Amino acid sequence: MSNPAAQLVLSPTERYDIKALNLEDFLPSAWTGVFTGDNDAVDVEAAYERVAVVRTAVTLRANALASLPWEITTRRGTLVAFDAERLAALIRGVEIDLCLYGAAYLLRDPAAPLGLRRLHPRTISPITDAKRGLIGFVRRANNTEVRLEPETELLHIWEPSVRSEVEPGVGLVTTALTQARALLAAERYQTAYFERGAVRPTVWMFAQRPTDAERSRFEQWLRQLVSGIRNAFRHLALSSEIKTVTLGDTLSDAVKPELLQRAAELMLTAFQVPMSLVFSSASNYATARRDYQTFILLTILARAREVAAMLQPHFAAYNQTLRCNEARIDAVQNEELEKAEAIQRLTGQPVLTLNEARARLDLPQFVEDDADRELLRLRNRLAIAREAVAAGLDPRTALRLAGVNGAEPTDVEAKALKKDDEAELLPHEVQLYRDLKRAFQQLRQVMLDGADEITAQMFNETLYPAMRRNIETIARLFADEMRAEIGVAVNVDALLADWAEEATRRQVEELLYPYTKDYIARAVAAWRRMPGADRAELVAMIEPVVGARRAETVAITAATEAATAGVRAYRDGLRTEHNLEYVMIWETANDERVCPICGALHNKREDEWGGRSGPPAHPRCRCGVRLERVNAG
């Protein structure tokens, strides 16, 4: 028996490309199947770029998320025009990064479209603190490091991590890499198989050393043979006896279609993508439609809410809200329709009226005659009242604001009310009432112009001038009345100026504004939840805090307090300048209209007021005070 002799010397790189090697030319790892070179490592980028199923699954998720009905609105619900394609591109990139890296980052850049720019996750590292958790990020690019603050500079979203509290988890592609390696290895094997000439790796064994001419001819022929499939069937005649030993399985044995199919199915399971969306032979149309609906409801909508929460800090800085209008998604509408049909089959009655169905399709309401129109108007008003009650308003106020039960005044009544709105005011209250009514009208106009709320600064700048000048004038008026009655001159200018300044600040900032802000916030919240609500309905809901009735209440109450302050300032001046002691006595009209609180205080001295500083004892209180000399006579 002759020993095989090595006749073909190859470079290290050629050893991986040629299909015929001598046994001594094999690396030790050839017998163990272990390769440690970089060409055999499968990373997320390689899987995404070279494995079709991975690319398809990631693209399906990204496109489905980006194609949802995204909307940008103001806080009051008005739609804002924006570049939908650029927003879709941002959302698509966020989902791709999440699938590949388990994290996505957007830089808040005013120069970028929509003010946002994608940063590659591999360039970002979180900065953590043992107590505070995540405190910032570091971006490394072009040999430089930049510190970025969460939310204010960099928006981020992470897949949940089971290994760390303040680091992103792994992406879906990483989870699918086990199956991706199998598919990628099969693809490499098939490619190499045909590049070798459609034959398996072969060992050539010569019985005896060939001549130099035969050796040269064999080497030349072998190099041509392994150059590709076009040379697979070339022949060469040699005088020496050659034996071949074929290694490995055939292509059909190594690359099993059913195994590859199973690997692809497992990968789709990791991506939560239905197989019916990827493989055309997976199921029929009805099943594919159901699978797609489930895919949207359980997978894409959940991701949409996460992405909206990620982007919200950016849009909130512009007093805007980014949201996915789930009611416009076909899958959501189909699910609701199936519920309605099931209830209808169970009860025998339709669940949706014609107009309710048209509303779901964003179509105008259908009205046949005046009776239908009136019924539709009543339903809309009841819906308004119901939302107002849910927001915290009492039912009676909500019904009145919605115009139910004849609460809406006619034009004649409105004119009469406007004509007689000052009939019940006292002379010293009229100017304060007019200025306050004008100020409240300005605040109402601010809401009509699109403001989401009335700020403290705006409220102060509008109400302060209307109240400050008037209450000081009223206080001086009553101080002068006391001077005329007692007959002793007192300088109360400094006292009343200081009191008017402090009283105005306290009334506007501590009493009026907090209640107004809270009331408007609840009214606006209820208005936003009303389907099809317009600006007129919002005005009706905020009328109690910006209307004439409230201006009247504030004017009466503030005027009473100013009158008391004027008398008190005169009393203090008598004590300081003339050493005369007077005490204030509470006075009411003492008739049937007097409330129990004030009635109990009638003709009582200051030390009997129960800790009160004087009238008013309640809103719209018109009680007064008089001075009585201590130890007179």
Side-chain angles (χ1 to χ4, degrees):
M1 175 181 285
S2 60
N3 295 324
Q7 299 295 327
L8 185 59
V9 180
L10 303 175
S11 65
T13 57
E14 290 175 320
R15 293 176 180 174
Y16 295 96
D17 297 328
I18 196 168
K19 65 180 181 181
L21 296 175
N22 290 294
L23 297 180
E24 57 265 36
D25 289 326
F26 274 74
L27 297 175
S29 59
W31 307 108
T32 61
V34 177
F35 289 89
T36 59
D38 292 338
N39 291 335
D40 293 282
V42 181
D43 54 22
V44 292
E45 289 91 350
Y48 178 71
E49 293 171 352
R50 299 184 59 182
V51 181
V53 178
V54 173
R55 183 68 171 262
T56 300
V58 173
T59 303
L60 276 173
R61 289 179 59 100
N63 289 343
L65 185 65
S67 62
L68 294 179
W70 294 96
E71 295 177 350
I72 299 177
T73 64
T74 62
R75 289 186 176 178
R76 66 179 184 274
T78 304
L79 290 175
V80 177
F82 65 97
D83 192 334
E85 289 300 324
R86 291 194 180 276
L87 179 62
L90 279 175
I91 295 175
R92 187 180 296 110
V94 166
E95 179 60 18
I96 292 176
D97 284 345
L98 280 173
C99 289
L100 267 66
Y101 307 104
Y105 301 94
L106 293 176
L107 179 68
R108 298 183 65 181
D109 182 2
L114 297 176
L116 297 170
R117 178 164 60 90
R118 172 189 176 265
L119 298 183
H120 198 287
R122 290 197 184 277
T123 66
I124 305 296
S125 299
I127 304 174
T128 60
D129 180 80
K131 291 185 178 180
R132 293 183 294 165
L134 179 68
I135 59 175
F137 296 94
V138 171
R139 171 169 162 81
R140 297 178 177 85
N142 299 325
N143 297 323
T144 60
E145 291 188 358
V146 179
R147 171 72 180 264
L148 298 172
E149 297 299 323
E151 293 191 359
T152 57
E153 294 180 295
L154 187 67
L155 305 179
H156 74 284
I157 181 173
W158 290 345
E159 287 283 9
S161 174
V162 297
R163 299 181 182 272
S164 173
E165 299 175 357
V166 287
E167 288 185 358
V170 299
L172 298 179
V173 175
T174 301
T175 304
L177 274 185
T178 301
Q179 284 72 36
R181 288 190 180 95
L183 294 181
L184 189 57
E187 179 267 336
R188 287 178 175 174
Y189 183 82
Q190 293 181 68
T191 302
Y193 178 79
F194 289 107
E195 288 178 350
R196 290 193 302 266
V199 292
R200 290 175 291 165
T202 305
V203 177
W204 304 86
M205 304 180 65
F206 293 83
Q208 59 184 5
R209 181 180 297 276
T211 63
D212 291 341
E214 286 183 329
R215 177 172 171 272
S216 176
R217 289 175 57 202
F218 181 77
E219 289 181 358
Q220 182 179 4
W221 170 82
L222 188 58
R223 293 183 186 279
Q224 292 177 352
L225 178 63
V226 299
S227 62
I229 186 64
R230 63 181 180 275
N231 297 315
F233 303 103
R234 292 191 176 186
H235 302 279
L236 175 68
L238 297 174
S239 60
S240 299
E241 179 182 358
I242 300 177
K243 293 182 179 181
T244 61
V245 178
T246 304
L247 306 178
D249 297 326
T250 62
L251 181 62
S252 59
D253 293 333
V255 183
K256 292 286 187 180
E258 57 272 17
L259 295 180
L260 300 182
Q261 176 74 14
R262 180 57 179 166
E265 292 173 357
L266 291 175
M267 274 197 299
L268 293 179
T269 301
F271 287 109
Q272 304 175 45
V273 174
M275 286 179 286
S276 57
L277 300 183
V278 179
F279 305 118
S280 58
S281 58
S283 60
N284 56 31
Y285 173 77
T287 303
R289 184 170 176 269
R290 169 62 66 179
D291 288 347
Y292 177 75
Q293 180 172 318
T294 304
F295 173 61
I296 294 296
L297 294 176
L298 299 184
T299 303
I300 299 303
L301 277 185
R303 180 73 89 190
R305 298 183 188 109
E306 295 173 356
V307 172
M310 167 202 182
L311 299 177
Q312 191 52 45
H314 173 71
F315 291 96
Y318 301 94
N319 291 324
Q320 296 174 346
T321 301
L322 173 70
R323 69 187 183 100
C324 171
N325 190 347
E326 298 182 9
R328 292 175 50 197
I329 300 175
D330 291 342
V332 176
Q333 293 178 351
N334 291 337
E335 184 183 36
E336 294 298 322
L337 182 59
E338 290 172 2
K339 292 180 182 178
E341 291 175 347
I343 295 175
Q344 181 175 351
R345 287 193 299 268
L346 180 64
T347 63
Q349 297 294 329
V351 177
L352 298 178
T353 65
L354 174 61
N355 281 325
E356 288 173 337
R358 292 175 65 85
R360 288 183 175 275
L361 299 175
D362 293 329
L363 296 176
Q365 300 291 284
F366 181 77
V367 178
E368 293 183 352
D369 51 28
D370 292 340
D372 286 345
R373 187 177 292 106
E374 185 62 29
L375 179 60
L376 178 61
R377 186 181 298 113
L378 178 59
R379 286 179 176 174
N380 290 339
R381 289 178 178 178
L382 288 174
I384 293 172
R386 185 166 52 252
E387 293 292 339
V389 171
L393 302 182
D394 63 278
R396 183 176 180 181
T397 302
L399 289 172
R400 181 176 60 81
L401 295 179
V404 180
N405 294 332
E408 221 171 10
T410 63
D411 293 340
V412 176
E413 293 170 340
K415 291 180 180 178
L417 180 62
K418 184 176 182 180
K419 180 179 180 181
D420 299 334
D421 59 356
E422 298 177 5
E424 299 296 327
L425 295 175
L426 299 177
H428 66 276
E429 298 169 344
V430 173
Q431 189 59 48
L432 176 58
Y433 163 72
R434 291 174 179 174
D435 290 347
L436 286 174
K437 184 172 71 170
R438 188 179 301 110
F440 282 127
Q441 288 174 345
Q442 293 175 6
L443 294 176
R444 178 170 55 186
Q445 188 60 45
V446 168
M447 297 292 293
L448 285 173
D449 290 340
D452 296 320
E453 61 181 3
I454 296 177
T455 63
Q457 180 181 358
M458 183 191 309
F459 193 86
N460 185 68
E461 292 175 353
T462 307
L463 267 292
Y464 189 91
M467 183 171 287
R468 169 67 176 80
R469 178 181 63 256
N470 283 293
I471 64 173
E472 184 176 354
T473 300
I474 294 171
R476 289 181 185 278
L477 173 65
F478 279 80
D480 289 343
E481 288 183 356
M482 285 292 104
R483 179 186 57 79
E485 180 179 336
I486 295 176
V488 178
V490 171
N491 183 5
V492 296
D493 291 347
L495 290 175
L496 291 183
D498 292 342
W499 170 84
E501 188 72 26
E502 174 59 26
T504 303
R505 184 202 63 79
R506 177 175 52 81
Q507 284 276 355
V508 172
E509 298 179 6
E510 299 179 9
L511 300 179
L512 297 178
Y513 177 68
Y515 175 79
T516 303
K517 178 183 178 182
D518 179 67
Y519 189 100
I520 289 179
R522 289 187 287 118
V524 171
W527 176 71
R528 287 176 180 167
R529 289 193 293 269
M530 299 177 189
D534 56 17
R535 301 298 298 179
E537 291 163 342
L538 176 60
V539 172
M541 296 184 69
I542 66 173
E543 184 68 19
V545 292
V546 294
R549 179 67 175 175
R550 193 186 191 203
E552 180 183 282
T553 299
V554 174
I556 293 173
T557 309
T560 300
E561 182 179 0
T564 303
V567 175
R568 182 185 298 107
Y570 181 76
R571 189 273 312 269
D572 294 343
L574 287 174
R575 180 186 299 126
T576 302
E577 298 181 20
H578 302 284
N579 198 28
L580 297 175
E581 284 295 332
Y582 280 82
V583 64
M584 292 193 297
I585 307 298
W586 195 297
E587 282 193 331
T588 69
N590 199 24
D591 56 20
E592 69 278 359
R593 294 178 300 177
V594 175
C595 71
I597 298 176
C598 297
L601 295 171
H602 182 58
N603 281 333
K604 295 292 183 67
R605 297 162 62 101
E606 293 179 66
D607 55 0
E608 299 175 308
W609 290 355
R612 292 184 175 87
S613 60
H618 54 79
R620 303 180 73 89
C621 177
R622 279 190 170 132
C623 292
V625 292
R626 61 182 173 86
L627 294 180
E628 183 178 282
R629 180 76 180 270
V630 178
N631 298 326

PDB file of all heavy atoms in Angstrom, residues 62 65-66 70 86-96 307 311 322:
ATOM      1  N   ALA A  62     -41.592  47.739  11.836  1.00  0.00           N
ATOM      2  CA  ALA A  62     -41.317  49.172  11.698  1.00  0.00           C
ATOM      3  C   ALA A  62     -42.359  49.856  10.822  1.00  0.00           C
ATOM      4  O   ALA A  62     -42.854  50.943  11.154  1.00  0.00           O
ATOM      5  CB  ALA A  62     -39.910  49.379  11.140  1.00  0.00           C
ATOM      6  N   LEU A  65     -45.800  50.114  12.569  1.00  0.00           N
ATOM      7  CA  LEU A  65     -45.802  51.150  13.597  1.00  0.00           C
ATOM      8  C   LEU A  65     -45.849  52.544  12.972  1.00  0.00           C
ATOM      9  O   LEU A  65     -46.591  53.421  13.421  1.00  0.00           O
ATOM     10  CB  LEU A  65     -44.561  51.003  14.473  1.00  0.00           C
ATOM     11  CG  LEU A  65     -44.449  51.938  15.676  1.00  0.00           C
ATOM     12  CD1 LEU A  65     -45.557  51.646  16.681  1.00  0.00           C
ATOM     13  CD2 LEU A  65     -43.079  51.804  16.332  1.00  0.00           C
ATOM     14  N   ALA A  66     -45.060  52.757  11.927  1.00  0.00           N
ATOM     15  CA  ALA A  66     -45.002  54.080  11.300  1.00  0.00           C
ATOM     16  C   ALA A  66     -46.283  54.429  10.556  1.00  0.00           C
ATOM     17  O   ALA A  66     -46.606  55.613  10.386  1.00  0.00           O
ATOM     18  CB  ALA A  66     -43.811  54.152  10.344  1.00  0.00           C
ATOM     19  N   TRP A  70     -50.884  58.669  13.279  1.00  0.00           N
ATOM     20  CA  TRP A  70     -50.278  59.560  14.266  1.00  0.00           C
ATOM     21  C   TRP A  70     -50.820  60.967  14.094  1.00  0.00           C
ATOM     22  O   TRP A  70     -51.028  61.439  12.971  1.00  0.00           O
ATOM     23  CB  TRP A  70     -48.762  59.561  14.125  1.00  0.00           C
ATOM     24  CG  TRP A  70     -48.130  58.248  14.463  1.00  0.00           C
ATOM     25  CD1 TRP A  70     -47.775  57.258  13.591  1.00  0.00           C
ATOM     26  CD2 TRP A  70     -47.795  57.761  15.762  1.00  0.00           C
ATOM     27  NE1 TRP A  70     -47.232  56.193  14.268  1.00  0.00           N
ATOM     28  CE2 TRP A  70     -47.230  56.477  15.607  1.00  0.00           C
ATOM     29  CE3 TRP A  70     -47.908  58.291  17.041  1.00  0.00           C
ATOM     30  CZ2 TRP A  70     -46.794  55.724  16.680  1.00  0.00           C
ATOM     31  CZ3 TRP A  70     -47.468  57.543  18.119  1.00  0.00           C
ATOM     32  CH2 TRP A  70     -46.921  56.277  17.935  1.00  0.00           C
ATOM     33  N   ARG A  86     -41.826  62.587   7.528  1.00  0.00           N
ATOM     34  CA  ARG A  86     -40.630  62.674   8.387  1.00  0.00           C
ATOM     35  C   ARG A  86     -40.899  62.048   9.750  1.00  0.00           C
ATOM     36  O   ARG A  86     -40.028  61.396  10.325  1.00  0.00           O
ATOM     37  CB  ARG A  86     -40.193  64.127   8.529  1.00  0.00           C
ATOM     38  CG  ARG A  86     -39.640  64.714   7.240  1.00  0.00           C
ATOM     39  CD  ARG A  86     -38.920  66.022   7.484  1.00  0.00           C
ATOM     40  NE  ARG A  86     -38.387  66.595   6.266  1.00  0.00           N
ATOM     41  CZ  ARG A  86     -37.230  66.278   5.723  1.00  0.00           C
ATOM     42  NH1 ARG A  86     -36.476  65.362   6.303  1.00  0.00           N
ATOM     43  NH2 ARG A  86     -36.812  66.850   4.615  1.00  0.00           N
ATOM     44  N   LEU A  87     -42.094  62.272  10.285  1.00  0.00           N
ATOM     45  CA  LEU A  87     -42.432  61.636  11.554  1.00  0.00           C
ATOM     46  C   LEU A  87     -42.460  60.121  11.395  1.00  0.00           C
ATOM     47  O   LEU A  87     -41.963  59.389  12.268  1.00  0.00           O
ATOM     48  CB  LEU A  87     -43.777  62.144  12.055  1.00  0.00           C
ATOM     49  CG  LEU A  87     -44.263  61.527  13.377  1.00  0.00           C
ATOM     50  CD1 LEU A  87     -43.293  61.839  14.515  1.00  0.00           C
ATOM     51  CD2 LEU A  87     -45.663  62.011  13.722  1.00  0.00           C
ATOM     52  N   ALA A  88     -43.024  59.640  10.288  1.00  0.00           N
ATOM     53  CA  ALA A  88     -43.050  58.195  10.046  1.00  0.00           C
ATOM     54  C   ALA A  88     -41.630  57.640   9.942  1.00  0.00           C
ATOM     55  O   ALA A  88     -41.341  56.549  10.448  1.00  0.00           O
ATOM     56  CB  ALA A  88     -43.844  57.889   8.783  1.00  0.00           C
ATOM     57  N   ALA A  89     -40.738  58.387   9.293  1.00  0.00           N
ATOM     58  CA  ALA A  89     -39.351  57.926   9.173  1.00  0.00           C
ATOM     59  C   ALA A  89     -38.678  57.848  10.543  1.00  0.00           C
ATOM     60  O   ALA A  89     -37.920  56.909  10.822  1.00  0.00           O
ATOM     61  CB  ALA A  89     -38.573  58.860   8.252  1.00  0.00           C
ATOM     62  N   LEU A  90     -38.946  58.822  11.414  1.00  0.00           N
ATOM     63  CA  LEU A  90     -38.375  58.785  12.757  1.00  0.00           C
ATOM     64  C   LEU A  90     -38.877  57.573  13.529  1.00  0.00           C
ATOM     65  O   LEU A  90     -38.100  56.851  14.161  1.00  0.00           O
ATOM     66  CB  LEU A  90     -38.734  60.067  13.512  1.00  0.00           C
ATOM     67  CG  LEU A  90     -37.903  61.313  13.233  1.00  0.00           C
ATOM     68  CD1 LEU A  90     -38.491  62.503  13.970  1.00  0.00           C
ATOM     69  CD2 LEU A  90     -36.458  61.099  13.639  1.00  0.00           C
ATOM     70  N   ILE A  91     -40.191  57.342  13.479  1.00  0.00           N
ATOM     71  CA  ILE A  91     -40.767  56.216  14.215  1.00  0.00           C
ATOM     72  C   ILE A  91     -40.272  54.902  13.645  1.00  0.00           C
ATOM     73  O   ILE A  91     -39.991  53.949  14.382  1.00  0.00           O
ATOM     74  CB  ILE A  91     -42.297  56.314  14.174  1.00  0.00           C
ATOM     75  CG1 ILE A  91     -42.755  57.559  14.936  1.00  0.00           C
ATOM     76  CG2 ILE A  91     -42.947  55.063  14.756  1.00  0.00           C
ATOM     77  CD1 ILE A  91     -44.234  57.815  14.861  1.00  0.00           C
ATOM     78  N   ARG A  92     -40.144  54.821  12.329  1.00  0.00           N
ATOM     79  CA  ARG A  92     -39.629  53.597  11.705  1.00  0.00           C
ATOM     80  C   ARG A  92     -38.195  53.335  12.175  1.00  0.00           C
ATOM     81  O   ARG A  92     -37.836  52.195  12.503  1.00  0.00           O
ATOM     82  CB  ARG A  92     -39.681  53.743  10.183  1.00  0.00           C
ATOM     83  CG  ARG A  92     -39.332  52.455   9.433  1.00  0.00           C
ATOM     84  CD  ARG A  92     -39.405  52.666   7.930  1.00  0.00           C
ATOM     85  NE  ARG A  92     -40.756  52.992   7.502  1.00  0.00           N
ATOM     86  CZ  ARG A  92     -41.152  54.179   7.059  1.00  0.00           C
ATOM     87  NH1 ARG A  92     -40.280  55.192   6.993  1.00  0.00           N
ATOM     88  NH2 ARG A  92     -42.396  54.378   6.676  1.00  0.00           N
ATOM     89  N   GLY A  93     -37.372  54.371  12.231  1.00  0.00           N
ATOM     90  CA  GLY A  93     -36.000  54.198  12.705  1.00  0.00           C
ATOM     91  C   GLY A  93     -35.930  53.798  14.166  1.00  0.00           C
ATOM     92  O   GLY A  93     -35.074  52.997  14.556  1.00  0.00           O
ATOM     93  N   VAL A  94     -36.839  54.339  14.980  1.00  0.00           N
ATOM     94  CA  VAL A  94     -36.877  53.965  16.397  1.00  0.00           C
ATOM     95  C   VAL A  94     -37.152  52.476  16.550  1.00  0.00           C
ATOM     96  O   VAL A  94     -36.494  51.772  17.329  1.00  0.00           O
ATOM     97  CB  VAL A  94     -37.945  54.798  17.139  1.00  0.00           C
ATOM     98  CG1 VAL A  94     -38.240  54.194  18.509  1.00  0.00           C
ATOM     99  CG2 VAL A  94     -37.480  56.229  17.284  1.00  0.00           C
ATOM    100  N   GLU A  95     -38.112  51.956  15.794  1.00  0.00           N
ATOM    101  CA  GLU A  95     -38.449  50.538  15.912  1.00  0.00           C
ATOM    102  C   GLU A  95     -37.316  49.646  15.409  1.00  0.00           C
ATOM    103  O   GLU A  95     -37.024  48.608  16.013  1.00  0.00           O
ATOM    104  CB  GLU A  95     -39.732  50.253  15.134  1.00  0.00           C
ATOM    105  CG  GLU A  95     -40.171  48.793  15.151  1.00  0.00           C
ATOM    106  CD  GLU A  95     -40.448  48.282  16.542  1.00  0.00           C
ATOM    107  OE1 GLU A  95     -40.647  49.100  17.472  1.00  0.00           O
ATOM    108  OE2 GLU A  95     -40.471  47.046  16.727  1.00  0.00           O
ATOM    109  N   ILE A  96     -36.659  50.031  14.330  1.00  0.00           N
ATOM    110  CA  ILE A  96     -35.535  49.233  13.827  1.00  0.00           C
ATOM    111  C   ILE A  96     -34.422  49.180  14.863  1.00  0.00           C
ATOM    112  O   ILE A  96     -33.842  48.118  15.133  1.00  0.00           O
ATOM    113  CB  ILE A  96     -35.034  49.805  12.488  1.00  0.00           C
ATOM    114  CG1 ILE A  96     -36.095  49.595  11.392  1.00  0.00           C
ATOM    115  CG2 ILE A  96     -33.718  49.155  12.082  1.00  0.00           C
ATOM    116  CD1 ILE A  96     -35.734  50.218  10.066  1.00  0.00           C
ATOM    117  N   VAL A 307     -43.620  54.427  22.313  1.00  0.00           N
ATOM    118  CA  VAL A 307     -42.946  55.438  21.497  1.00  0.00           C
ATOM    119  C   VAL A 307     -43.558  56.813  21.744  1.00  0.00           C
ATOM    120  O   VAL A 307     -42.848  57.826  21.824  1.00  0.00           O
ATOM    121  CB  VAL A 307     -43.027  55.055  20.007  1.00  0.00           C
ATOM    122  CG1 VAL A 307     -42.500  56.178  19.126  1.00  0.00           C
ATOM    123  CG2 VAL A 307     -42.245  53.767  19.750  1.00  0.00           C
ATOM    124  N   LEU A 311     -41.560  60.243  23.005  1.00  0.00           N
ATOM    125  CA  LEU A 311     -41.503  61.497  22.271  1.00  0.00           C
ATOM    126  C   LEU A 311     -42.255  62.633  22.960  1.00  0.00           C
ATOM    127  O   LEU A 311     -42.081  63.796  22.590  1.00  0.00           O
ATOM    128  CB  LEU A 311     -42.072  61.297  20.867  1.00  0.00           C
ATOM    129  CG  LEU A 311     -41.344  60.290  19.972  1.00  0.00           C
ATOM    130  CD1 LEU A 311     -42.059  60.145  18.654  1.00  0.00           C
ATOM    131  CD2 LEU A 311     -39.907  60.717  19.744  1.00  0.00           C
ATOM    132  N   LEU A 322     -48.360  64.416  21.111  1.00  0.00           N
ATOM    133  CA  LEU A 322     -48.282  63.404  20.060  1.00  0.00           C
ATOM    134  C   LEU A 322     -49.057  62.180  20.515  1.00  0.00           C
ATOM    135  O   LEU A 322     -48.860  61.694  21.631  1.00  0.00           O
ATOM    136  CB  LEU A 322     -46.821  63.019  19.791  1.00  0.00           C
ATOM    137  CG  LEU A 322     -46.621  61.836  18.825  1.00  0.00           C
ATOM    138  CD1 LEU A 322     -46.995  62.238  17.412  1.00  0.00           C
ATOM    139  CD2 LEU A 322     -45.187  61.329  18.877  1.00  0.00           C
TER     140      LEU A 322
END
